[in-house]
Amino acid sequence: MSANSVNSVDPSVAKIQGLELAEHHFGPLHRPTHATQSAWTNYSINRLQTNQKYRNIVSVSRKGSEGGSEENSMEVEGDSEEDSVDDEDGSEEDSGEDDDEYDKYSDEAWLLDSVKAYVSQIEVEMNFENGILQKCITILWNETELDDEDPRSTDHIVRIYSPTAPVYIDVHFQYYCRSRWSEVEWFYSIGYKIQRRPSATAGNALTIKSELKMSSPPDVHTRNGWQTLCWGYYDDSDGNYGKNWRRIECGQVELHEEGAVDVHEVLFGELEKPAESDSEATLAYHRSLTRGIRMLLAAVGISYQVACTDDERDKGPHDLMLEGLGDKWVGRGIRNACGLRLTRDAEDEQKGAQGRQEELKGYGEDDDDDEEDYDDDYGF
């Protein structure tokens, strides 16, 4: 597909291709890397068509507000007001003005508001202009059910287009948490997939969904190029339910330093590892790596402050549960995967293991009066 197919209604840019095309529609880019003209052209067409088909973060605003950023004007260039897309693949049915606003009390508002808020925090940390990273995010799939103001369940996929290179990352978050009479049902899984050679076609949410495995949290992102970031759940097997239920937490961060480096390079460009003797540069290096992972989390509506010095503390989200007990193993796992281990990490890890062992006390005692039967069903 040529650039002309995207710019057919704009003769002034009909002949633009490559990096110039990307800069025209999505600029300013952040220190764009060298790549072939076809790579940048395909990236631009993919991003334009995906933004037209689904909801880009800066293209929507709460009802009654002043509307999205001026930067979102690029996503409808080359598209007529009469165009519509089939919603069978999770896309918006119409491209009218109603799709550009959302009710702040709706279930979808949680994801939109959270992504905007948490990604903007990263923009501030990096001294970026407001919206530079937000406009890179498009929601491809969103099934969220709120319990008051917090999510009871969510299953959503977002796409992060790199502001640096002609690549993107799809991120998937599956979550469920519900309190019952004597127990809590809880599980989640977060995974991502880097696409280094985007095609010149719009994304398809159903195709992406089919790549995932409908299974227990550790196995959701284990095929078709997907990589697991972290997962967790309360184990209710072997009769752990009813009055004898215990918070038997299972979970793991499956990220490694190579993966953290890959994520940073895709989102923000290459990062040179400094000499270990340069403590200040080394700390900055680790902060940059953790920020890349925090960007993946922020893009799916999760705020997680990862400590990088002994004076700082890990701080997880207030509206979601990523750790089932008091141990902040997600923050520690991300930090360790980024090559940083704090003085307290070994002790905290030991305390966390002890806490999980203490929860096992009393586990296995059968309650003959409890006739409820629970299946290991992690689907939605």
Side-chain angles (χ1 to χ4, degrees), residues 25-321:
H25 287 292
F26 312 112
L29 300 177
H30 174 63
R31 296 183 300 180
T33 60
H34 175 74
T36 65
Q37 177 173 281
S38 62
W40 278 112
T41 299
N42 289 348
Y43 163 93
S44 301
I45 295 172
N46 184 297
R47 185 169 173 179
L48 280 165
Q49 294 188 353
T50 300
N51 284 349
Q52 290 165 0
K53 187 176 181 180
Y54 300 100
R55 278 192 160 182
N56 179 266
I57 287 298
V58 298
S59 70
V60 292
S61 58
R62 282 188 175 187
K63 289 182 179 179
S65 67
E66 295 181 356
S69 165
E70 294 179 359
E71 292 159 341
N72 75 328
S73 61
M74 52 77 182
E75 48 183 340
V76 294
E77 284 194 56
D79 197 21
S80 68
E81 292 182 358
E82 297 176 355
D83 285 345
S84 64
V85 288
D86 194 341
D87 65 349
E88 289 183 357
D89 56 358
S91 60
E92 297 296 329
E93 185 174 359
D94 299 309
S95 58
E97 292 182 0
D98 289 345
D99 289 333
D100 294 331
E101 294 184 340
Y102 62 94
D103 189 333
K104 67 179 181 179
Y105 300 108
S106 65
D107 287 351
E108 69 173 342
W110 171 82
L111 180 58
L112 291 163
D113 289 346
S114 297
V115 174
K116 289 180 179 181
Y118 303 145
V119 173
S120 67
Q121 290 176 2
I122 295 178
E123 291 173 339
V124 171
E125 291 176 20
M126 301 186 71
N127 295 317
F128 281 1
E129 181 181 342
N130 180 48
I132 289 293
L133 297 178
Q134 294 176 60
K135 71 181 181 181
C136 295
I137 300 172
T138 299
I139 298 174
L140 305 183
W141 186 276
N142 181 18
E143 293 183 345
T144 299
E145 180 181 353
L146 299 181
D147 187 356
D148 291 329
E149 297 181 354
D150 298 339
R152 170 183 290 183
S153 68
T154 187
D155 182 16
H156 58 265
I157 302 168
V158 304
R159 176 164 295 180
I160 311 173
Y161 285 97
S162 171
T164 300
V167 298
Y168 62 76
I169 304 179
D170 287 336
V171 192
H172 174 240
F173 180 33
Q174 172 182 289
Y175 176 88
Y176 183 86
C177 186
R178 184 175 184 180
S179 297
R180 296 189 179 274
W181 174 64
S182 58
E183 61 191 77
V184 177
E185 293 181 68
W186 168 69
F187 64 86
Y188 78 92
S189 185
I190 306 170
Y192 66 96
K193 180 179 180 179
I194 298 175
Q195 178 52 262
R196 298 186 182 277
R197 295 179 179 82
S199 61
T201 55
N204 187 294
L206 286 183
T207 298
I208 298 172
K209 287 281 290 181
S210 69
E211 296 176 349
L212 304 171
K213 189 174 182 180
M214 293 298 295
S215 185
S216 59
D219 300 322
V220 175
H221 306 103
T222 55
R223 64 182 188 180
N224 298 312
W226 282 85
Q227 301 178 69
T228 304
L229 200 164
C230 60
W231 53 268
Y233 66 93
Y234 286 141
D235 188 358
D236 61 357
S237 63
D238 298 328
N240 183 34
Y241 57 83
K243 292 191 294 184
N244 294 321
W245 181 78
R246 297 291 185 271
R247 294 176 182 263
I248 301 177
E249 180 197 46
C250 300
Q252 187 174 344
V253 173
E254 296 196 14
L255 183 70
H256 303 285
E257 187 168 2
E258 182 178 355
V261 171
D262 286 343
V263 168
H264 187 280
E265 288 183 350
V266 167
L267 296 178
F268 307 124
E270 293 186 6
L271 189 63
E272 184 176 352
K273 190 172 185 177
E276 294 184 3
S277 58
D278 191 338
S279 59
E280 185 174 345
T282 298
L283 177 59
Y285 171 81
H286 292 311
R287 284 198 189 280
S288 295
L289 288 184
T290 59
R291 187 178 294 119
I293 304 307
R294 287 174 52 224
M295 178 66 184
L296 297 187
L297 297 177
V300 290
I302 301 171
S303 173
Y304 207 114
Q305 299 295 325
V306 180
C308 292
T309 69
D310 288 318
D311 294 332
E312 299 171 355
R313 289 291 179 267
D314 298 316
K315 186 177 181 181
H318 69 277
D319 52 356
L320 295 162
M321 185 167 66

